[in-house]
Amino acid sequence: METRSNHVLVGAVVLILLAVLALFIVWLARLGGGNEREYDIFFKQSVDGLNPGSSVSFSGVPSGQVKDIQFWKPDPSLVRVRVSVKPDVPILEGTTASIQGSFTGPSTVQLDGAVKGAPPIACPVEHPRAACPLGVPVIPTKQGGLGALLSSAPRLLERISTLTERLSDLLNDKNQTSIAGILANTNRLTKSLADRGPEIAATLAETRDAIEKAGTAAQQIGDLAQTTNGVLSDNVKPTIANLNQTISAAKKSMETLDATIGDARPGLQAFSSKTVPEVGQLVQDLREMALSLTSVAQKLDTGGASSLIGAPKLPDYKAKK
């Protein structure tokens, strides 16, 4: 009976010690993690390889661990990952989160991109539910590393398949025949150009000589233009001065002629109104006198002087037999 009571006492003491040890361990755990900060990360990509307890690194330095992974009920395309990090980790505005995958081990959450001098990521005072739906700050995400490659792999394979189909359509039998003809024509053209190489070289040399001659001619034309400008500036200026003097003298002569015509205008008007009609009458009388003298001269020529004072002689009449 005494031995049995000793066993019960020992068992009770052991149980009490185990309970105290468990409480002490829990207290230590709370004491060690009580200062850690928690953040939510909403990934829109696969979180394959990420588990509770996975490492969280900041710029490659281990800084915390994954606490919880759940579907986000308001949007099933998102996966909510809650992480806890050490209090000295600079989770500032500009920090982003990505999943760093590995073929040989579990995936990790990689944090980077903090901006120097930026404030820490925290829930705003106004409308905290919109920015922090579960009461903790949210770290924005970015695709990177193996996760981004795996998420874009289906699209990449689809594009490769489309490109392969288009290449197959492009390289059908008909197009292959056309391409072969184009290559053959190109070979013939290349051969012809190679055969014409000396002629092309001679043509280029002639072209070079023509360009040099054109440059020399242009220089000579420039020299001639400069000489012409000098001659014009030396000889034309005196001529222009003389021409200006001549124009001034002609202008003065025209003014004098206008004044003379103005003074003679009354006499000209009287001459045109009186003398011109009298001169016309005189010319008519002289014309009539000239006609009369012509008639007298004709009579003298045909009939002599007697024709002027007698009647003209009638011709002899002969009777018809």
Side-chain angles (χ1 to χ4, degrees), residues 9-253:
L9 179 62
V10 171
V13 171
V14 170
L15 290 175
I16 292 172
L17 290 176
L18 290 175
V20 171
L21 180 61
L23 293 174
F24 179 73
I25 292 173
V26 172
W27 179 78
L28 287 178
R30 289 183 178 179
L31 182 63
N35 293 329
E36 291 185 351
R37 294 172 295 173
E38 293 185 348
Y39 298 90
D40 279 338
I41 306 172
F42 293 90
F43 289 103
K44 202 171 184 178
Q45 66 186 73
S46 175
V47 294
D48 187 22
L50 199 65
N51 300 304
S54 297
S55 176
V56 177
S57 301
F58 186 91
S59 298
V61 179
S63 303
Q65 63 180 353
V66 176
K67 290 293 186 181
D68 188 21
I69 301 176
Q70 292 184 1
F71 288 109
W72 180 240
K73 294 181 181 180
D75 188 354
S77 64
L78 298 177
V79 177
R80 181 184 66 84
V81 177
R82 176 162 292 187
V83 298
S84 61
V85 297
K86 297 177 182 179
D88 58 343
V89 178
I91 308 298
L92 308 177
E93 290 187 1
T95 303
T96 57
S98 60
I99 297 177
Q100 189 73 30
S102 175
F103 290 106
T104 59
S107 300
T108 60
V109 176
Q110 180 68 34
L111 304 178
D112 56 10
V115 180
K116 181 180 179 180
I121 295 178
C123 295
V125 178
E126 297 181 358
H127 309 289
R129 296 289 297 178
C132 305
L134 296 179
V136 297
V138 177
I139 300 176
T141 62
K142 71 171 184 179
Q143 289 187 349
L146 183 62
L149 179 62
L150 293 177
S151 63
S152 61
R155 184 181 301 175
L156 179 62
L157 293 175
E158 182 180 358
R159 291 181 178 177
I160 292 175
S161 177
T162 304
L163 178 61
T164 304
E165 292 178 358
R166 292 182 178 178
L167 287 176
S168 299
D169 295 337
L170 179 63
L171 298 177
N172 55 23
D173 296 337
K174 182 178 179 180
N175 291 338
Q176 287 181 3
T177 303
S178 300
I179 293 172
I182 292 172
L183 293 177
N185 294 331
T186 303
N187 290 332
R188 286 197 296 270
L189 178 61
T190 305
K191 184 178 179 181
S192 300
L193 289 175
D195 296 337
R196 298 274 183 177
E199 297 179 3
I200 294 174
T203 302
L204 291 175
E206 293 177 358
T207 304
R208 188 180 299 109
D209 294 338
I211 292 173
E212 291 178 355
K213 292 179 180 179
T216 303
Q219 184 177 1
Q220 293 176 355
I221 291 172
D223 296 338
L224 179 60
Q226 291 179 357
T227 304
T228 304
N229 290 332
V231 171
L232 290 175
S233 60
D234 294 338
N235 298 331
V236 174
K237 289 182 179 179
T239 304
I240 292 175
N242 295 332
L243 182 60
N244 291 331
Q245 292 177 359
T246 304
I247 292 172
S248 299
K251 184 177 180 181
K252 292 179 180 179
S253 299

